[in-house]
Structure formats: C-alpha cells, structure tokens
Amino acid sequence: VTHYSIPEEMKEGSVVANLATDLRLEVKTLNERKMRLDIVANKKYLDVNKETGELYIMEKIDREYICPSKSSASCYLRLEVTLENPLRIFNIEIEILDTNDNAPQFRRDAIHLDISESTPKGERFSLSNAVDPDVGSNSVKTYHLSENEYFNIEVQTGRDGTKFADLILKKTLDREQQAVHNLTLTAVDGGKPARSGTASVIVHVLDTNDNKPTFDKSLYNVKIMENSPIGSLVLHLNATDSDEGSNSDITYSYSLYTSEKTQETFHLNPTSGEITVRGMLNYEEFNIYDMEVIATDKGANSLSGQCTIKILVEDMNDNHPELSIKSFQSPVSEDIKLDTVIAVVSVSDKDSGENGIVDLHIPDNMPFKLKKSTDNYYELVVSEALDREKVPEYDITFTVTDRGSPPLSDNETMTLELLDVNDNVPQFPKSFYTIRVMENNAPGALLESLSAFDPDLHENQYLVYVIIEKEIANTSMSMLFSINPEDGKLHALKTFDYEIEKEFLFHIEARDSGSPPLSSNVSVHIIIVDQNDNPPVIVSPWRAHGSVVEEKIPRSTDKGSLVAKVIALDTDSVHNSRITYQFLQVTDATLFSLDQYNGEIRTMRMFSYRDPRHQRLVVVAKDNGEPALSATVTIKLSTEETAVKAYSDMTEVPLEYDIFSDLNLYLVIGLGSVSFLLLITILVTIVLKCQKAKPSKAAPPSRNSVISERNSTIADSTLVSNDAYWYSLFLAETRKGKLVVRQPVPKGSRYIVSSIPRGTGLTDTSDSASSTLQV
C-alpha cells in the first residue's frame, strides 16, 4: 500500500505525487496498458495524468464532508490503480489532513436567561456550547464574555474534550436599575490563525417587591377658590413604585389622622389618586383643610408610603366690573383735530381690594387714546390724524378688567363712522400716455380710455374729463379729439393723414366735483402711423397719361451706355416710400439692364444687325409698403444709323454752344421760373402767417375751416423741397446733354418737366421723353 498525506482544500490541478515514479512504472507504457484510477466508496476527487504519471487533484476535498464523524482524528481516501498487459493492481491510501477552515458556531444566535433580582451572587447558569467541525487543535479551545459588572464565565472541559462555559453572577442584580442585560459570548478555536463565533446572551431580571410607593412630595399645599363646583379636581396624587406587575399596583386611602369633616368635603379616588370637591366650599366658614393620604402596593408583602396635604380656600372674585358710555359722538369728519373728545366712559366694580380695582383699555392699533378725567371716568380722544380712504370706520371695543385672580372683565363696542373730505386729487394710472393711431382712421374711433381714480366719496369722487385747450395754427385740440367727460374715453373727430399730420401733444385734465374741486392732468402724445396709401409717381421720363415714351438712340451706342433713367417719388414714410425698379416687359432681355435702386437703364452689349430697330421696355416702380403699390412706364426705343456719340461720351465731353443758342435760352428761362416760383411761395407763406383770423366770441370757428399750422408748415416745406428737387434734376439732366424745363399740366398736376436730348435738334416737347410730377 502506497501512503500519501495531503491537506484538505487543495486547489484543483495541484499535484499530489508521481505515481509512475513511486510505483516504478514506465511513463511511456501507461496509455498502452490502459492505466485507470478507482476511488473506493467516494467521489473521484483525484486522477492520474497518463502522459506524466502524476497524481493530481480534480476537485477540492473537504475533510469535514468526507469524514463527518469526529470520533476518529484520521481521515483517509483509498484508491486502486489498475494496469493491463500484464494486469497489475496497486492500493494507494491518501490521508486528508485537517485545516482550520471552519469557525466555531453556536446552535442559537441568542441565549435567553431569566434571573430573579433576589438571586445571590455566585450562582451559576449553564450556557449553550459552540460547535466547530474541525478537529484537534482547530476545534473550540476557549470562551470569552463581553465586559460587564454583573457576570463572568468559567470554561469547563467535558469527558470527550468538548469545551463549554458557565455564567456566574458576581454582583446582586437590581431590576429597577437595569431590567435587561445584553451580553456577548465569543467561542475561539485553536487554529492559526484562530477563528471565532459569537452569540448574544440576554439576561431578563425578574422583579421582587423590594420598593415601596413614593409620592412626588411629602407635603402638598393646594389653593382652591370658594364656590368651586362639585366634582372639581383639587389635586391629582401620583405615587410611583419602581417594581413591576402587581408589585407596582397602588391604592390610595385616607389615614386615621384625617378628620371626618375633611373626608366629607373632599373625595379621594383609591385607584387614580384624584382628590375632588365633594361638598360646598365657603371661605367664611372654613378655609384650611389638612389630610394624610397613604399609598399601598399589592405585592405579597405589601409596602406603603404616605404624604400630607394642606388645602387653602381662597376668596373668589365673583363680581364682574361694569362700564357705561355716557356720551359718544359719531359720525365725525375725517379732518377732525387732534385731542378732540369722542366719548366719555365710566367704570365700576362691587368687589373690594384688588378684586375691586379696574382698568379700562381699547385696542392698541387705533388712532385714539384714553385719558382719565376723574375717578372712574375716562375720555376717548383723537391721538392721530384720521384718513377715511384708509379706514372708513372704527369698531372701538372698550374693555374693563379688574385685578382679581383670575381677573374678570366686561366690554362694549361702539362704531365710529368718518365723514369724507375732499382731500385726494384724482390720479391717472400713468403720467404719460403714448397712443399710436393708424392714418385713414374712421372719425369717432376710440383711441384710449383714460380713466382716473379718486378714493374720496360721493361728489368728491365724481370725475369730469376735459381736454386742456391748445391751439396749433388756429386749430383747437377739441376740434381734432373729443373725450367723454364721464368715463374718459378719447375719440378722434377726424381722419388723419400721415403725410400732413404726424403727431399731437396735449393734456387731459380729470377734475372731481368736490368743493373746492381738485384736479390733475396727464400728457397725451398721439403718433400718427403711416399706411402705404400713396402709390409711386413716375416723374421721369415724363409722359402724358397712358401714353408711351419714345426715345431715339444711335445704333452704334457702346456697351454700358445710359439709355434712360426712370425716377419715381412716393409721399409715404421712409419705409413705405423706398422704391425699387424692375422690368415688367422687355423686347430683348440680353440687350438692356435696369438698376433696381436708381432706375438707370443701360446697354448690356452693342447693337447687332440682327437686333430689331424698335425696342419696347416696360418698367415698374414698386414701393416697400405692405401691400406694395406700383406704377409703370413704357419706353419705346428707336435706333437710327447716325454718327452721334454715345451718351457716355456726351456726359464726359462738355458741349460748346454759342452764348445765344436756343439751349442757353431755355436754361435761362428755366432758372428764372424756378426762382420766381420760390419767391411767390415765400411771400404767400408770410402773408398767411401775418393775417391769422381772430376767433369770434359769439360763435366758435367751424371745425372744417381751421387750418393746422403744422399742415401749412408741411405744405410750405413740400413746395420748397419740390423746387429744390427740380433744380437738382435740371442740373443733372443738363449735364447729360438734355434740356429740362417746367410746363403747365392739366388739373391734378403742378409741373411738367421736359427733357430734350442735346444735338437731336428737337425743340418741341412733344418730340421728347417727358414725365409729370404731381405735388
């Protein structure tokens, strides 16, 4: 038999020994001889590597599982190694050595013990022992107990070597001090390193009747008022017994030293210890009661305690104080003077001493105070300024209280009403109103509700709204706007035109109906918002209504030459009057280009012999409004075979004419006309300003007859700006080789400008491109 010894819990794959070497076998023949390993009466924990002949661990071995019995300290695995050709059998014995892989463990996690507090010290109590599956020195070796002042342990060894512990009482227990003791018992084995297990030892201390009942005090002094009702609680005795169960149940009783008079007047509840009134208490007949109460527990050997009680009957404050309001002034004006007397009050109390002394009070948060005039008489006077708008009335409560214990009181409430005084001016929610009104509004349209607030009452609160008159060029604001005098709604009386009137600034007054009346005003700024209601007007090239503009240009015109320039004007605001130009129709889109911002039409290339002689251009001028408005002009261009230079050359090379040529004559006439019209405009403006019509006292001027100074100013500036524009246009067109003059036009227009190309020999405006400007 081959013998090996290995420790338990070896890792899988660990080599125990080389069987081929130990059994003197050839390693090369192990496979041929079909070597196998059989384990007797156990799992196959080991196997042989046939390539190397090594015996190795297939599965971890647990000694406590293989040999659960601790009667024998040895544990073996028996193996048989079989080989064929020739057949041979070898017996192998493997001893499994124990390792400290298990900790001691108690059968129960908690051990409960009941020990009477009367148990003498030195008494022993058996404790459950711990179990350790390991053997030998790895099994349980000793026990330890947690630190405490009442218990220790003594470790004992059984006949089979088992270790167990006895709990020994080393100090007398007192349940009233500590009813439960929580200890920890620890079992430690002898392995290296040592392992341990714990269990809780809970000791319940059983009670014995060793404590007598005790009262909170040995002497109680109690005061009670006379006339206290039957059943009133005088005193609740509460004796305590630190024992438990029946040892702490207490009953209360009078001692033999308590008089019958006292027992008839007061009742003692034997269970709760409450002392209540049984008979009537009269301070004048009997005012001191002495009693002795005994508290006894219900233990087998009952114990008792006692206390003394002294009851003092006090005189009762049984009369309420009285008050009487002799005079009271209501209502009063809110502007009443300070220290004015509002009411006179008298107070009294039928009791005597402290119970008969009374005090009078009113609430602290009121603008009044009490002044003592004579004995038991008080005056109520005004101490702070009154304001009806903050507090319209006061509920004044007069409270009279005596100085008894407990104090008695009485009260009476009077209502003081305040009369309104016109002391508040109307207030608008805003100090300045900005109102935007879209032009072309309907007459009578509501613009804004300008309601003010006056916290006064009645006629002092009724407001009237008016527009503070202000004239602009003989036009009153009341001709343009109206306000409802009752609710402050502001309306427009006319339709406004942004191109004529752009803003108004005036004031609105709110006046109450008090005496004297108070008022306030607010500034109102009316801003007229522009609408896109004016379409662009094409002023160049001019043409009669619905007619076509005809232009002649040389066929040899160079690329990039200026052919024509479309100019349109829009009287709307800056945003709406922004003009853009584009072709609506064009004969040949590759021949001409149009600048969308300045309206210049230029050639994109030179004319070829294939290009038609006549070109038709339709240009649309569109403003920037929403929706956009537009105007169109049709230009017919005719090309002719001449040696005339291109426009671009003409603009760069100045032309020389005789001083007295026709062109110079037209220039002089044009400049003279512009100067003359400008002079006439200035004179008319001066005359209108100097001869303002004075309004008649008998009848106000008609609304339709008033001319706004603002409108006149705008009209004057329009004339001047138009003349300046024509003068700049005149100079620009002249530099480009054209003659610009103004001509009368039909009704609805003011000027006609005619542009005549130089060098064409045309003197009649019907042969040239022309445009109309209407102002």
Side-chain angles (χ1 to χ4, degrees), residues 539-543 661-675 677 722-723 725-735 737-745 750-758 762-773:
V539 299
S540 176
W542 179 88
R543 85 279 187 211
S661 64
D662 293 339
L663 179 59
N664 288 344
L665 181 59
Y666 290 147
L667 287 174
V668 172
I669 293 173
L671 289 173
S673 300
V674 171
S675 302
L677 289 174
N722 286 341
D723 290 337
Y725 168 74
W726 283 114
Y727 181 70
S728 349
L729 181 61
F730 169 81
L731 294 178
E733 294 297 321
T734 302
R735 293 191 189 97
K738 295 184 179 181
L739 176 62
V740 180
V741 296
R742 291 186 179 179
Q743 294 181 358
V745 295
R750 179 165 296 182
Y751 300 111
I752 293 179
V753 57
S754 298
S755 57
I756 306 172
R758 291 184 180 177
L762 298 176
T763 58
D764 190 358
T765 57
S766 61
D767 297 332
S768 63
S770 59
S771 58
T772 303
L773 169 66

Side-chain angles (χ1 to χ4, degrees), residues 342-359:
I342 301 296
V344 177
V345 183
S346 68
V347 296
S348 62
D349 194 318
K350 295 179 183 179
D351 291 324
S352 61
E354 289 292 324
N355 295 333
I357 300 175
V358 296
D359 299 302

Side-chain angles (χ1 to χ4, degrees), residues 13 23 69 136 146 158 204 313 322 376 410 412 456 472 476-477 488 490 529 541 554 562 622 700 741 749 758-759:
L23 299 178
S69 175
S146 58
H204 299 273
V313 180
E322 298 177 352
N376 298 330
D410 192 11
E412 187 171 347
D456 293 323
I472 298 178
S476 172
M477 286 295 106
L490 183 65
V529 181
L562 179 65
K622 187 184 298 184
V741 296
S749 303
R758 291 184 180 177

Side-chain angles (χ1 to χ4, degrees), residues 450 463-467 482-491:
L450 308 174
L463 302 181
V464 178
Y465 300 90
V466 295
I467 297 176
S482 71
I483 190 168
N484 189 315
E486 296 181 356
D487 57 15
K489 291 183 177 180
L490 183 65
H491 297 266

Side-chain angles (χ1 to χ4, degrees), residues 565-609:
K565 182 172 183 177
V566 179
I567 300 175
L569 298 179
D570 193 321
T571 56
D572 287 324
S573 63
V574 175
H575 177 76
N576 292 330
S577 64
R578 194 172 299 144
I579 306 296
T580 57
Y581 304 90
Q582 62 186 32
F583 281 129
L584 193 60
Q585 293 180 7
V586 60
T587 303
D588 189 347
T590 65
L591 191 54
F592 301 101
S593 66
L594 172 62
D595 190 303
Q596 63 173 341
Y597 298 112
N598 60 24
E600 291 183 352
I601 301 175
R602 296 181 179 272
T603 57
M604 296 174 63
R605 59 179 175 82
M606 294 186 66
F607 289 96
S608 67
Y609 68 91

Side-chain angles (χ1 to χ4, degrees), residues 396-415:
I396 305 173
T397 301
F398 298 93
T399 302
V400 58
T401 307
D402 63 24
R403 299 183 184 179
S405 179
L408 300 178
S409 63
D410 192 11
N411 63 73
E412 187 171 347
T413 301
M414 303 295 291
T415 300

Side-chain angles (χ1 to χ4, degrees), residues 32-86:
E32 296 176 0
R33 299 183 66 182
K34 298 180 181 180
M35 181 181 183
R36 68 177 182 271
L37 180 66
D38 298 318
I39 300 179
V40 179
N42 253 311
K43 291 172 63 177
K44 191 173 183 179
Y45 288 99
L46 299 98
D47 201 356
V48 177
N49 188 334
K50 297 176 183 179
E51 300 295 332
T52 61
E54 293 175 340
L55 179 65
Y56 66 93
I57 303 294
M58 286 185 64
E59 185 178 340
K60 280 188 178 182
I61 301 173
D62 187 354
R63 182 187 182 282
E64 289 74 27
Y65 177 78
I66 296 173
C67 304
S69 175
K70 299 184 64 175
S71 58
S72 175
S74 300
C75 180
Y76 296 96
L77 278 178
R78 291 176 173 82
L79 311 177
E80 287 185 355
V81 177
T82 304
L83 292 97
E84 297 179 0
N85 299 322

